[in-house]
Amino acid sequence: MFPTTFPKPQHFFPGKDAPALRWGLLAPGWIADLFVSAMHEHTDQRFVAVGSRSAERAQSFSAQHGIAKAYDSYEQLVADPQVDVVYIAAPQSEHLTLGRLAIAAGKHTLIEKPMATTADEARALAAAARNAGVLLMEALWSRYLPQTSVVRTLVNDGFLGDVRSVVADHGQAIPGYPDHRLHRRELGGGALLDLGIYPVQLDSMVLGAPQSITAIGGLLDTGVDAFSTLVLGHGRDVQSTLTTSLAVRTPSTAVISGTQARIEMDGSFYMPTTFRLAGNDRDAMVWNDTTGVTSMAGLSWEATALARFVGEGRTESPIHTLDETISILETLDEARRQLDVSASL
């Protein structure tokens, strides 16, 4: 079975089944700047407050983005009754503490990926959110891109036949050794948690949790994983190969191969990009994103998705559930254990 046209992508367009929520930001920084800019430009969601341990940093960020309130403590922000959702953009070493803080205040909570540094920490956050009855979501923005919904439909509706393999990589040349957060164990650094999560989540979306995990790679002298190759077994005749690195920039492409066809995703596959659907005995079809939302502006899709889920009364994402978030971290935990990053687990 081979389609004549691509399935219609699922778009989380602004205003469509999505209430306009009031957002608060914990820990302004690089990714926060990109997320706030994307959200304000492409959605009707708005940040109304920013909180930092530095009053000067909070005030500077609020002035830059037109955010009304600037708090010099995280506690003040989560206590603000005008804040509906808290977005946590701190290093992953702080996600558990800040996530608990926001959830305890009764706020819907979006936590940058990875949601936590270990699966146990993610379980604790999920339990807290479920007990509080608030929505908790990992900011794994790739899951909410229009292209991902098309890929998911092609796989789930059997257009590839039986999927036998996912091959994906993500490598970035991270500067600033040894001070950059990804080079520092105490900040939850390492290639796998921050970069490798993208290939692993793609594999999880397509094939589910692996039955076996084999990891080889190397560490920096700071104790974090610098590069690795993961071979994930998913039963008889199904195997995936995922690579990541913080030492070199790689093409960051992905291929999902089935018995009847394959999907070839251009780099960077985890961002808005182009892909091809190639049959075993016919020419490839090319899919292009026509929304005009490109590059890091694609972060905006997850904001409108979260708002829609809140409007629907959900307490987690149906596209990327808390159980799957935990499962992905279990895979990363085991890979890091095999790479001997045990001191950080």
Side-chain angles (χ1 to χ4, degrees):
M1 180 172 60
F2 201 84
T4 56
T5 60
F6 283 108
K8 184 178 179 180
Q10 180 179 10
H11 290 145
F12 292 99
F13 280 127
K16 183 179 179 182
D17 304 321
L21 302 177
R22 300 166 298 183
W23 292 63
L25 165 66
L26 291 186
W30 174 77
I31 190 63
D33 177 61
L34 292 171
F35 180 73
V36 174
S37 297
M39 193 176 88
H40 283 181
E41 180 178 356
H42 294 285
T43 84
D44 56 4
Q45 306 299 309
R46 288 296 178 267
F47 277 90
V48 299
V50 55
S52 173
R53 290 173 294 190
S54 163
E56 179 181 359
R57 193 174 187 189
Q59 290 165 3
S60 174
F61 194 93
S62 67
Q64 177 186 351
H65 291 281
I67 299 173
K69 301 176 186 178
Y71 293 115
D72 61 3
S73 80
Y74 299 142
E75 290 78 10
Q76 285 179 306
L77 183 136
V78 301
D80 187 336
Q82 299 302 310
V83 171
D84 302 312
V85 184
V86 171
Y87 168 58
I88 297 171
Q92 40 260 37
S93 57
E94 306 303 311
H95 288 182
L96 176 62
T97 298
L98 296 183
R100 280 173 163 166
L101 182 70
I103 292 166
K107 307 298 185 184
H108 302 301
T109 304
L110 177 67
I111 304 179
E112 256 310 323
K113 59 85 194 159
M115 180 178 285
T117 61
T118 67
D120 282 345
E121 289 183 357
R123 288 188 192 96
L125 287 167
R130 286 164 174 162
N131 288 336
V134 298
L135 183 142
L136 173 64
M137 187 170 122
E138 182 178 36
L140 196 55
W141 64 304
S142 304
R143 286 295 177 94
Y144 304 97
L145 301 176
Q147 74 203 34
T148 307
S149 71
V150 179
V151 169
R152 188 165 45 238
T153 299
L154 291 171
V155 171
N156 292 344
D157 289 357
F159 289 111
L160 305 189
D162 296 327
V163 176
R164 295 289 192 236
S165 168
V166 174
V167 177
D169 82 282
H170 186 194
Q172 301 288 343
I174 304 298
Y177 175 83
D179 298 321
H180 191 284
R181 65 179 180 85
L182 291 191
H183 298 152
R184 297 170 61 182
R185 176 185 292 173
E186 70 274 16
L187 295 182
L192 274 170
L193 278 178
D194 203 85
L195 307 175
I197 191 171
Y198 287 114
V200 172
Q201 69 81 25
L202 180 66
D203 185 76
S204 175
M205 184 184 81
V206 174
L207 293 171
Q211 298 177 18
S212 64
I213 301 166
T214 302
I216 59 171
L219 308 180
L220 295 176
D221 57 15
T222 58
V224 303
D225 57 292
F227 60 91
S228 62
T229 297
L230 275 57
V231 178
L232 306 184
H234 291 275
R236 184 176 180 180
D237 300 327
V238 184
Q239 178 175 286
S240 298
T241 304
L242 315 174
T243 60
T244 189
S245 173
L246 55 72
V248 294
R249 184 164 187 169
T250 63
S252 296
T253 56
V255 180
I256 304 167
S257 298
T259 54
Q260 301 298 319
R262 68 185 181 277
I263 294 170
E264 302 171 343
M265 303 179 71
D266 290 341
S268 298
F269 77 88
Y270 53 89
M271 297 171 64
T273 191
T274 298
F275 72 82
R276 287 165 298 283
L277 176 65
N280 289 346
D281 56 359
R282 57 185 302 162
D283 294 338
M285 296 168 52
V286 179
W287 185 90
N288 293 290
D289 189 332
T290 60
T291 65
V293 180
T294 61
S295 188
M296 300 299 289
L299 290 164
S300 60
W301 294 113
E302 66 185 358
T304 310
L306 181 145
R308 180 188 291 188
F309 300 152
V310 169
E312 293 171 345
R314 298 180 184 273
T315 54
E316 61 183 282
S317 167
I319 290 174
H320 182 53
T321 66
L322 294 176
D323 285 344
E324 190 187 9
T325 292
I326 293 166
S327 174
I328 289 169
L329 278 166
E330 287 175 339
T331 297
L332 294 172
D333 281 353
E334 174 58 20
R336 294 170 73 216
R337 185 196 67 78
Q338 292 183 27
L339 296 174
D340 194 27
V341 198
S342 57
S344 65
L345 299 181

